[in-house]
Amino acid sequence: MARIVMKFGGTSMAGIERIRSVAQRVKREWEAGNQVAVVVSAMAGETDRLVNFCREASSLYDPREYDVVVASGEQVTSGLLAIALQAIGVPARSWLGWQLPIHTSDAHASARIGEIDTQALLAATAGGEVAVIPGFQGLADNGRVTTLGRGGSDTSAVAVAAAMKADRCDIYTDVDGVYTTDPRIVPRARKLKRVTYEEMLELASVGAKVLQTRSVGLAMKEGVRVQVLSSFADADAAAEPGTMIVGEEEVDEMERQLITGIAHDKNEAKITLTEVPDRPGAVAAIFGPLADTGINVDMIVQNVAHSTGSTDVTFTINQAELPRVLDVLDREKGKIGYDRLVHDTRVAKISVVGVGMRSHAGVASTMFKTLGDRGINVQAITTSEIKVSVLIEEDYTELAVRVLHTAYGLDAEDTAA
């Protein structure tokens, strides 16, 4: 007998037939004698609909009331799944965020989970009842409902799994695992059996959409074994193995590769400030006000100083932040002392990720040579211990992913007869 947390996203819960399919998957685990808790998202598109209602009601809405509204989507699906389970003979009950309770900070719309009181929940699951928990929501110390931010149901599931000391947390999505890259771009991409927490965290942060970054970080911190599975396979058939997200010690040396995956992100914007005074404190005058506004900066390049005693500074941000960044830099122009501001949204970030980089040289040079041979110019570079990212022109995104996938030997073998 195992203790399992199962999480189903919005596409998995998109309508009564999909919810019935989810109920069959849950029933299979329950019939195997496992203690089961299920975390659900709102139906696909429902959260967007509720957010738009808030915006229509007032552009300056109270974030506390916003949380009350948007948390209702998960409340609906948790109740419906409990009903669907009961209809097929599985004892089930929905547990709202305040009924567990899931204690969070009071940062409405972006709350962070503190602790979860699982005493009653564990008693219920030990007695054979399936617990259905709405993701994305919790309870602040002042008794108000909170939400965790978009994609927060993944984080809810991992947090519940950690609090319950679950054997694993199964995340059901519209893909059947983690691939070496996006299969829509590279049909020969391979599904990975295991990925380390660090690799998944890097992949999620640089554009891979399989798991939310916060959920992976929490899983790594708490040692929660996470499995990514498809919710669109036959619900009555034996589950196809997905991808396990685990600690590095669980990845066999024979399975370990130099590069685990390649990710891309087109949601980048590049900003260049020309003729910034080349003096101490000049760079701080740029990035200090951005940090004070809560804007995260990714890549940073400072060019060689001009003979005039000035330099150019280039950096990247999330494209959605561009209007705020332009406003901040315009207000701070006098203090910074730059000449012109040039921005470009037709860029993309390409990243190669793998723990094998720690012990092998030449990963970056392979990347630069492969791109250079195809005439793809590198505009900026950033690295970590297990990642190399470059900024390129957006039009070359798919070509870059394909040639790098081949260059690092990630293409699947052709099994056709």
Side-chain angles (χ1 to χ4, degrees), residues 277-355:
D278 185 24
R279 62 170 183 255
V283 174
I286 299 171
F287 298 112
L290 295 178
D292 292 341
T293 316
I295 295 168
N296 292 319
V297 174
D298 188 5
M299 302 177 177
I300 303 174
V301 177
Q302 182 171 342
N303 297 332
V304 176
H306 304 307
S307 59
T308 57
S310 63
T311 185
D312 296 341
V313 177
T314 297
F315 60 93
T316 63
I317 54 161
N318 186 290
Q319 198 173 120
E321 300 278 18
L322 183 59
R324 285 207 300 155
V325 171
L326 296 179
D327 178 63
V328 170
L329 294 176
D330 182 62
R331 286 189 278 108
E332 299 291 329
K333 184 175 182 179
K335 294 180 182 178
I336 300 170
Y338 65 86
D339 179 42
R340 291 188 305 123
L341 185 157
V342 181
H343 66 270
D344 183 5
T345 58
R346 293 197 56 77
V347 294
K349 180 168 64 176
I350 309 296
S351 304
V352 297
V353 175
V355 292

Side-chain angles (χ1 to χ4, degrees), residues 134-334:
F136 179 59
Q137 64 176 246
L139 182 73
D141 289 342
N142 61 8
R144 298 295 303 246
V145 170
T146 59
T147 62
L148 309 182
R150 301 307 293 266
S153 291
D154 282 355
T155 302
S156 296
V158 172
V160 169
M164 293 180 66
K165 294 180 170 53
D167 294 278
R168 71 174 190 269
C169 177
D170 290 344
I171 306 286
Y172 286 83
T173 70
D174 52 3
V175 296
D176 61 351
V178 179
Y179 281 74
T180 48
T181 196
D182 189 338
R184 294 169 297 184
I185 295 178
V186 183
R188 292 167 69 91
R190 293 183 290 108
K191 185 170 73 173
L192 299 164
K193 292 181 180 179
R194 290 182 179 86
V195 177
T196 68
Y197 293 125
E198 288 181 274
E199 290 170 326
M200 194 66 240
L201 192 59
E202 289 281 18
L203 286 168
S205 69
V206 295
K209 303 295 192 297
V210 179
L211 291 173
Q212 190 217 34
T213 305
R214 277 174 62 186
S215 69
V216 181
L218 181 59
M220 180 166 65
K221 175 178 176 288
E222 299 293 339
V224 176
R225 302 175 81 248
V226 176
Q227 183 174 207
V228 179
L229 298 155
S230 171
S231 61
F232 290 90
D234 186 353
D236 296 320
E240 282 288 321
T243 299
M244 292 297 302
I245 316 299
V246 295
E248 193 170 341
E249 68 281 357
E250 288 196 49
V251 179
D252 189 273
E253 286 293 335
M254 295 294 291
E255 295 179 306
R256 189 166 296 164
Q257 300 182 112
L258 175 60
I259 297 299
T260 297
I262 298 171
H264 69 282
D265 187 357
K266 294 183 178 180
N267 298 314
E268 295 275 310
K270 181 179 72 170
I271 295 175
T272 299
L273 300 181
T274 67
E275 298 187 34
V276 176
D278 185 24
R279 62 170 183 255
V283 174
I286 299 171
F287 298 112
L290 295 178
D292 292 341
T293 316
I295 295 168
N296 292 319
V297 174
D298 188 5
M299 302 177 177
I300 303 174
V301 177
Q302 182 171 342
N303 297 332
V304 176
H306 304 307
S307 59
T308 57
S310 63
T311 185
D312 296 341
V313 177
T314 297
F315 60 93
T316 63
I317 54 161
N318 186 290
Q319 198 173 120
E321 300 278 18
L322 183 59
R324 285 207 300 155
V325 171
L326 296 179
D327 178 63
V328 170
L329 294 176
D330 182 62
R331 286 189 278 108
E332 299 291 329
K333 184 175 182 179

Side-chain angles (χ1 to χ4, degrees), residues 377-397:
N377 185 46
V378 173
Q379 303 178 22
I381 305 165
T382 187
T383 65
S384 75
E385 191 179 23
I386 62 169
K387 175 199 73 181
V388 180
S389 296
V390 297
L391 194 72
I392 65 171
E393 187 178 331
E394 183 184 50
D395 291 343
Y396 291 105
T397 302

Side-chain angles (χ1 to χ4, degrees), residues 87-158:
I88 57 175
V90 179
R93 178 207 154 168
S94 62
W95 295 74
L96 302 187
W98 60 268
Q99 292 173 317
L100 281 173
I102 299 174
H103 297 285
T104 73
S105 66
D106 60 359
H108 289 274
S110 59
R112 303 191 78 85
I113 295 175
E115 62 178 2
I116 302 176
D117 186 349
T118 59
Q119 184 176 355
L121 180 67
L122 289 171
T125 55
E129 183 178 272
V130 171
V132 185
I133 303 164
F136 179 59
Q137 64 176 246
L139 182 73
D141 289 342
N142 61 8
R144 298 295 303 246
V145 170
T146 59
T147 62
L148 309 182
R150 301 307 293 266
S153 291
D154 282 355
T155 302
S156 296
V158 172

